[in-house]
Amino acid sequence: STQGVSSAASDVYKRQVFHGNYTTSFRAPSVSELYSPESTTFDSGTDPCDVTAVNSGPNPAVRLANCRNAKIPENFQSNFNKFTIKGLTGGNSNLKNEQSKQFTAGASFQPRWVTGLTLGADLYDVRVKNEIASLGLTTIMAACYDSGDYPNSQYCNAFSRDSNGQINEGFKEGLFNVGTEHYRGLQAHLAYFMPLSRLGLSDNDGSIQTTVNYKHGFIHKGTVLSSQYEYLGTVSYTHLRAHETSAHL
């Protein structure tokens, strides 16, 4: 973690402060994410080597070549597309820490022309990698056959096929370090403090204080394997919140 603060005064501002902060952090997998006991699950979906999907994916040529290397015949029709198959789900003891980097830069000002007023804003940028996500068999198989490292990808070890190319029972789905996330936003605030002595009352009569906060998101996106997600617009990322004016007596 690295941070810096600079403070100064001018003819316009009674006080102005500039600050910055760079932080790295991590989140270790929880005990349940690591060691939850295996349980039976039933799954169906889309087999990437099925005739309906073998020419799809982020790089269809790679998927097709990998399916052919797996000895999957042309015009293959997977039972996984038609009915459920029995498998296992549970914790993953090979999970790594989620890691993040955050940068914040901001400033606050107290103008001379309004005594008691403080204005400030912070721009922050957060990037996370190795996010833990739960993957079903459809996603796991796609990650295997879309990989440039086939058959050495870790996802290829989660399932097996019989001599006809059909998925065997006993596949393993669950948690993997597969996600990234990037968030950039702005947070601004306005605060006003006035002792009641300015209104002619005594110093012991208290004060009035009010605060307004504003938050806006510029970027919020993520990835899970080769899928990209845009989170801005799914929820409101512009917030205006005012704290009720209070008198302290």
Side-chain angles (χ1 to χ4, degrees):
S1 175
T2 303
Q3 61 182 359
V5 178
S6 176
S7 178
S10 68
D11 293 337
V12 177
Y13 298 106
K14 181 178 180 181
R15 188 184 183 200
Q16 47 192 341
V17 177
F18 301 92
H19 56 268
N21 185 64
Y22 175 78
T23 304
T24 60
S25 58
F26 69 91
R27 185 189 78 86
S30 68
V31 173
S32 61
E33 289 172 332
L34 290 169
Y35 304 116
S36 286
E38 290 185 340
S39 59
T40 300
T41 185
F42 292 87
D43 201 359
S44 64
T46 300
D47 187 329
C49 293
D50 186 88
V51 65
T52 61
V54 71
N55 292 307
S56 302
N59 192 331
V62 170
R63 176 178 290 191
L64 177 61
N66 289 337
C67 288
R68 294 295 174 261
N69 289 336
K71 310 302 182 184
I72 306 298
E74 293 185 21
N75 300 317
F76 172 71
Q77 295 185 18
S78 177
N79 291 338
F80 182 67
N81 291 37
K82 302 174 182 178
F83 51 78
T84 59
I85 298 176
K86 181 180 178 181
L88 298 172
T89 185
N92 182 353
S93 60
N94 295 316
L95 290 174
K96 302 176 182 178
N97 293 339
E98 295 180 335
Q99 299 176 332
S100 69
K101 297 179 180 179
Q102 177 173 329
F103 173 76
T104 304
S108 61
F109 306 92
Q110 293 179 335
R112 294 184 180 277
W113 36 273
V114 182
T115 302
L117 177 66
T118 300
L119 304 170
D122 290 278
L123 178 68
Y124 50 93
D125 187 278
V126 182
R127 298 171 188 262
V128 184
K129 66 179 183 178
N130 288 339
E131 280 193 327
I132 297 170
S134 180
L135 303 183
L137 185 55
T138 293
T139 305
I140 291 172
M141 289 196 296
C144 170
Y145 292 108
D146 291 337
S147 172
D149 194 32
Y150 176 87
N152 299 316
S153 167
Q154 63 171 323
Y155 307 105
C156 299
N157 298 323
F159 64 95
S160 63
R161 295 181 183 270
D162 63 20
S163 59
N164 296 317
Q166 301 296 345
I167 302 297
N168 289 319
E169 292 187 353
F171 62 83
K172 176 68 183 293
E173 59 185 26
L175 300 170
F176 296 85
N177 293 103
V178 292
T180 67
E181 194 166 350
H182 180 202
Y183 182 73
R184 181 180 298 159
L186 173 73
Q187 184 163 329
H189 68 275
L190 178 154
Y192 181 70
F193 175 82
M194 182 182 69
L196 294 178
S197 59
R198 292 184 195 168
L199 301 179
L201 302 177
S202 72
D203 293 336
N204 298 324
D205 287 331
S207 62
I208 295 175
Q209 182 174 358
T210 187
T211 303
V212 177
N213 292 300
Y214 172 82
K215 182 179 180 181
H216 180 74
F218 298 112
I219 297 173
H220 192 187
K221 58 186 179 181
T223 64
V224 175
L225 295 174
S226 60
S227 299
Q228 299 185 2
Y229 300 92
E230 181 61 62
Y231 299 123
L232 280 180
T234 58
V235 295
S236 174
Y237 277 91
T238 299
H239 305 281
L240 181 64
R241 184 177 65 217
H243 291 294
E244 190 174 308
T245 301
S246 58
H248 303 282
L249 303 176

